[in-house]
Amino acid sequence: MKTITVTTAQKVDIDFELATLMDRILAFIIDMILYAVLLYFLFVTFAMLGYGYTTESNYYFFLIMFPIYTFYTFYWEYFTKGKSPGKMALGLRVVKENGELPTVTNYLSRWLFRLVDIWLSSGFIAAVFVASSENSQRLGEVVSGTVTIKVRPRYSFSLKDILKIGANNKDYEPQYPQVANLAEDDMLVIKQTLERLAIANNTASKNALHQLVEKMRNVLEIDEKIQPQGYKTFLERLIKDYIMLTR
């Protein structure tokens, strides 16, 4: 399983799993099925409007379908921030190598190289690059500086399952009530940071932990000074308070 480290909006480094070759193939198949369905309904619409197999109807049919087919992935990825219907179905998303949202230039570069990656080589070049490159990038992604990541976890869990910290204790008094103003995504960032520390207790993980603690102190306006040895306890406390205040 290949991963890439990106920086979230909270300025915390988070590891994301990279899309595999099979993920990409399945997403491509879903997109092509959707396109085929669109093609069928357009054909039926033309027939209902009384257009038969005439030169004129074929011309208009081509005029409508060609730009849709040609720019299909570019339209979807640009307007839905890195997702096509196939990617949505599989929980995939396109981001820049630094985790930021791609620009229109990035999307165009990806789209242009699909001709080489997929159509002219029947997908062979894309498959070779995805299988052999460090960040599982096809040629178009290497050129555009983008990667395809999994934004949907391998397993799902509710926030109440996090850390198994006994949130059912009715006598528990939250220490930081302002944490209720945060979003569930913020809590998941905290959870992922703690998980990363447990898996790899190295300098990078400790720096990420420190950055997150300082970010939470600033956002929640907590004047209390948190010592490094208390970082983990502080973040676990925020999660527990959140659960108690929002359940």
Side-chain angles (χ1 to χ4, degrees):
M1 179 184 70
K2 293 183 178 180
T3 62
I4 188 172
T5 301
V6 300
T7 303
T8 68
Q10 293 82 8
K11 303 301 180 184
V12 176
D13 293 333
I14 296 294
D15 292 331
F16 282 96
E17 186 179 351
L18 291 164
T20 65
L21 179 59
M22 183 57 65
D23 292 328
R24 293 166 178 271
I25 292 174
L26 290 175
F28 177 80
I29 291 174
I30 292 172
D31 284 333
M32 289 301 98
I33 290 175
L34 180 63
Y35 180 79
V37 171
L38 178 63
L39 188 68
Y40 171 76
F41 278 106
L42 186 62
F43 179 80
V44 171
T45 301
F46 267 68
M48 292 176 63
L49 292 175
Y51 292 99
Y53 291 100
T54 64
T55 301
E56 182 181 7
S57 66
N58 290 337
Y59 171 76
Y60 285 117
F61 190 80
F62 176 81
L63 195 64
I64 294 173
M65 293 308 300
F66 180 76
I68 294 177
Y69 181 76
T70 304
F71 296 98
Y72 176 88
T73 55
F74 173 74
Y75 289 150
W76 276 105
E77 290 184 355
Y78 179 71
F79 289 107
T80 62
K81 299 181 179 180
K83 302 175 184 178
S84 67
K87 289 184 176 68
M88 292 179 193
L90 294 175
L92 307 180
R93 183 177 183 178
V94 175
V95 297
K96 293 172 68 173
E97 291 174 335
N98 61 3
E100 295 178 356
L101 188 67
T103 64
V104 63
T105 303
N106 297 130
Y107 289 127
L108 276 173
S109 299
R110 287 173 52 83
W111 170 75
L112 284 171
F113 273 85
R114 284 177 65 87
L115 182 65
V116 177
D117 275 331
I118 299 173
W119 301 118
L120 293 182
S121 64
S122 299
F124 178 75
I125 292 178
V128 170
F129 268 82
V130 171
S132 60
S133 62
E134 180 181 359
N135 291 326
S136 298
Q137 295 166 289
R138 63 178 176 85
L139 179 59
E141 291 178 324
V142 173
V143 173
S144 64
T146 60
V147 295
T148 302
I149 62 174
K150 293 185 178 182
V151 293
R152 182 183 301 165
R154 284 176 170 269
Y155 53 89
S156 60
F157 53 87
S158 68
L159 194 56
K160 294 181 182 180
D161 294 329
I162 294 177
L163 298 181
K164 305 297 182 181
I165 51 180
N168 292 324
N169 185 353
K170 296 181 179 180
D171 297 328
Y172 176 80
E173 290 293 335
Q175 184 176 346
Y176 305 107
Q178 63 270 45
V179 76
N181 296 321
L182 298 179
E184 183 171 325
D185 286 345
D186 298 322
M187 296 297 104
L188 295 179
V189 167
I190 295 176
K191 173 67 164 73
Q192 289 178 320
T193 303
L194 292 172
E195 283 183 339
R196 179 180 179 182
L197 181 69
I199 295 172
N201 190 7
N202 52 31
T203 302
S205 297
K206 291 178 181 178
N207 287 339
L209 191 71
H210 171 73
Q211 294 172 23
L212 182 57
V213 168
E214 291 304 310
K215 179 70 175 181
M216 290 297 102
R217 285 184 64 234
N218 292 332
V219 170
L220 300 175
E221 299 181 346
I222 298 173
D223 296 328
E224 173 190 357
K225 182 66 177 179
I226 311 297
Q227 298 300 321
Q229 61 270 24
Y231 286 169
K232 182 172 179 290
T233 301
F234 170 69
L235 295 177
E236 290 176 349
R237 182 82 185 206
L238 290 183
I239 294 176
K240 188 172 183 178
D241 287 357
Y242 184 87
I243 295 172
M244 293 299 297
L245 292 167
T246 60
R247 64 177 181 172

